[in-house]
């Protein structure tokens, strides 16, 4: 028997190791484990993805939910007022900025992540740019290069 490594990828990813006689058997075993729920992409995978994909040095989050992550809600900017709606709509994780201390007390099966007001707006700018360019291809759209974040970190 040999060990074969695989990356399981949806939007989230996790590297797993599967023991098998050959690569093909290992591949099928990894797929089986993923399909049966033996391998899941969970809150820790989401938090790692969030930190790496947005190049964040730090962010705040509530107690992680358990189980497979399937629904994430997002609001660029503050978004604090939408926490309850995200929960009611079935999100497992709500991502935004400017969450106050008491907002981190969440019901079971729901968590919040606060990446910062400016940071969340900066990340959504490219998405808005792409949508506007697709809908109005002859429209001149620019994203400002200057940073106007009034918050400094030590």
């Amino acid at each position: 028997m040999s060990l074969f490594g695989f990356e399981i990828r949806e939007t989230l990813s996790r590297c797993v190791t599967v023991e098998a006689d050959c690569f093909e058997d290992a591949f099928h075993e990894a797929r089986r484990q993923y399909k049966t729920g033996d391998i899941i992409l969970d809150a820790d995978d989401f938090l790692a993805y969030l930190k790496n994909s947005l190049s964040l040095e730090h962010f705040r989050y509530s107690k992680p939910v358990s189980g497979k992550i399937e629904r994430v809600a997002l609001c660029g900017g503050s978004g604090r007022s939408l926490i309850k709606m995200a929960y009611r709509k079935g999100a497992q994780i709500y991502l935004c900025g400017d969450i106050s201390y008491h907002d981190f007390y969440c019901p079971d099966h729901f968590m919040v992540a606060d990446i910062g007001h400016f940071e969340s707006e900066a990340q959504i700018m490219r998405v808005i740019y792409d949508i506007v360019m697709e809908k109005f291809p002859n429209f001149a759209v620019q994203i400002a290069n200057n940073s106007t974040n009034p918050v400094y970190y030590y």
Side-chain angles (χ1 to χ4, degrees), residues 22-43:
C22 66
F23 178 83
E24 185 177 327
D25 291 348
F27 177 78
H28 289 297
E29 177 60 17
R31 283 186 64 186
R32 184 197 67 73
Q33 289 181 20
Y34 178 70
K35 285 184 177 184
T36 62
D38 294 334
I39 297 172
I40 61 168
L41 300 172
D42 60 16

Side-chain angles (χ1 to χ4, degrees), residues 7-18:
E7 180 179 18
I8 306 295
R9 180 176 286 251
E10 289 177 322
T11 299
L12 305 179
S13 66
R14 167 182 290 183
C15 293
V16 297
T17 302
V18 177

Side-chain angles (χ1 to χ4, degrees), residues 5 8 11 21-22 30 35 53 60 62 79 82 87 115 120 134 146 151-152:
I8 306 295
T11 299
D21 290 324
C22 66
K35 285 184 177 184
S53 65
R60 304 180 311 155
S62 63
L82 301 175
Y87 175 72
I115 66 170
S120 66
E134 180 183 326
N146 60 331
V151 178
Y152 292 83

Side-chain angles (χ1 to χ4, degrees), residues 38-54:
D38 294 334
I39 297 172
I40 61 168
L41 300 172
D42 60 16
D44 288 337
D45 298 313
F46 174 80
L47 296 172
Y49 173 79
L50 180 65
K51 183 175 176 61
N52 293 329
S53 65
L54 301 182

